[in-house]
Structures are given as C-alpha cells and as structure tokens.
Amino acid sequence: METYYHPKDLGKFPDMGKGNKELWEKFMSYYNAVFAEGALTEREKALIALGVAHAVQCPYCIDAYTQACLEKGSNVEEMTEAVHVACAIRGGASLVHGVQMRNVADKLSM
C-alpha cells in the first residue's frame, strides 16, 4: 500500500545533516543530551516521547519511540497508557479552546 510516510525513510533522518552539518550536529548534541539519563530515566523519557509522538501525530516518531520504549523495558500496557495520557491532554486542549468560542459567541450575541 502506498502512503505518504514510508517507514524506510526513518533511517534517512541523518540525511538532514547534509544541508547544514553544523546545525545538524548542534541539534543532535541537544537531542542526545535531552534523552540521556537525568532526573528522569531513559525509559521514562521514551514513554513521554511516545505520548508526544502521538499528540503531534508523527508516524516516524511513533515507530522510533515504540521501539525505544520496548528496548528500555516498557510494556504495551504502559505504552498504551502513555498514549491515553496524550489523548486526554490533546482532547482537553481542544475543549478548553471552546471557552474562546463561547467568549466570541457571547460577545457577538449581545
């Protein structure tokens, strides 16, 4: 099945450094520092990243962080819960913006 996103393209991510090696190296330095063990474990960070990947709907990130979560010892139940957390936050963010709609509707209805 033909899709816009090709799973094999995830492996081409480093090619983004070809256009500007210096910026790519800075990004990767930052990225690697973010995901290094710190106040949060690498496993916890991978679960957060999996939830965020679903919130921003990036299929490459979903693939990468599903694999990272499994490699770092998470199970499908934990990963599913992380996705539900992302869903709840994204849904809540949509609903709270309904206050803006109501404010405008109230103003225009006066």
Side-chain angles (χ1 to χ4, degrees):
M1 178 176 171
E2 189 67 25
T3 67
Y4 183 78
Y5 294 101
H6 301 284
K8 66 180 181 198
D9 286 345
L10 180 57
K12 297 178 184 177
F13 185 49
D15 290 352
M16 293 307 299
K18 291 179 180 177
N20 188 318
K21 185 177 179 183
E22 181 182 354
L23 287 178
W24 174 255
E25 288 173 355
K26 287 180 181 188
F27 171 77
M28 289 308 298
S29 177
Y30 171 74
Y31 181 90
N32 289 327
V34 165
F35 282 94
E37 192 93 9
L40 297 172
T41 66
E42 289 183 10
R43 181 182 159 282
E44 291 167 329
K45 290 179 180 188
L47 283 166
I48 292 168
L50 182 65
V52 171
H54 281 80
V56 300
Q57 299 177 325
C58 174
Y60 299 119
C61 298
I62 292 168
D63 287 358
Y65 290 105
T66 297
Q67 182 175 335
C69 284
L70 292 170
E71 288 173 352
K72 296 185 184 314
S74 293
N75 60 44
V76 174
E77 182 180 8
E78 293 166 328
M79 293 160 55
T80 301
E81 196 166 311
V83 172
H84 278 281
V85 170
C87 177
I89 296 300
R90 188 168 178 147
S94 294
L95 283 174
V96 77
H97 280 82
V99 173
Q100 177 69 18
M101 174 273 300
R102 294 182 61 83
N103 289 342
V104 172
D106 289 347
K107 182 179 177 182
L108 296 177
S109 297
M110 293 180 136

